[in-house]
Amino acid sequence: MNFIFIEGLRVDAWVGIYARERVAVQTVEFDLNFGIPEAATIHDDITGSIDYAKVIGVIRAELAERHFNLIETLGEFVADLLCARFSVPWVKVWVSKPGVVKEARRVGAYIQRGEQDTIAAVMPN
């Protein structure tokens, strides 16, 4: 399986359980890794692949319209969105909230979905 990754994607989202998080959007950061058809690399044609600009646009549009209490739920939503909208066979979504805890650079979660034989695939660092 071949993969596309999008690293360090910053998106404004409504996420959090505290009152201050319910009145203003927060910047969340995503690292995404998802499987693509091998035919995409063979034929060198975007119609056989997944356009990462469209992935980013869909994520931005969807997150602008809903609130998530938990960062984990936000990650689940994006993983499910990629599977449903783009038919990805495997996806790993890292989502974090930078700077919300002074003792940590960021806090977050990661979600993984897809074929069991690709579980060993990891996000690029």
Side-chain angles (χ1 to χ4, degrees), residues 35-86:
I36 59 170
E38 290 181 16
T41 57
I42 295 168
H43 300 296
D44 196 24
D45 184 356
I46 190 64
T47 60
S49 188
I50 298 171
D51 184 339
Y52 50 80
K54 288 182 181 177
V55 169
I56 292 168
V58 166
I59 290 171
R60 285 188 191 285
E62 291 288 336
L63 296 190
E65 302 204 5
R66 47 186 50 78
H67 178 272
F68 300 90
N69 288 328
L70 303 176
I71 196 85
E72 303 94 290
T73 307
L74 171 58
E76 291 264 356
F77 177 82
V78 170
D80 291 343
L81 179 67
L82 291 173
C83 290
R85 187 79 59 96
F86 297 97

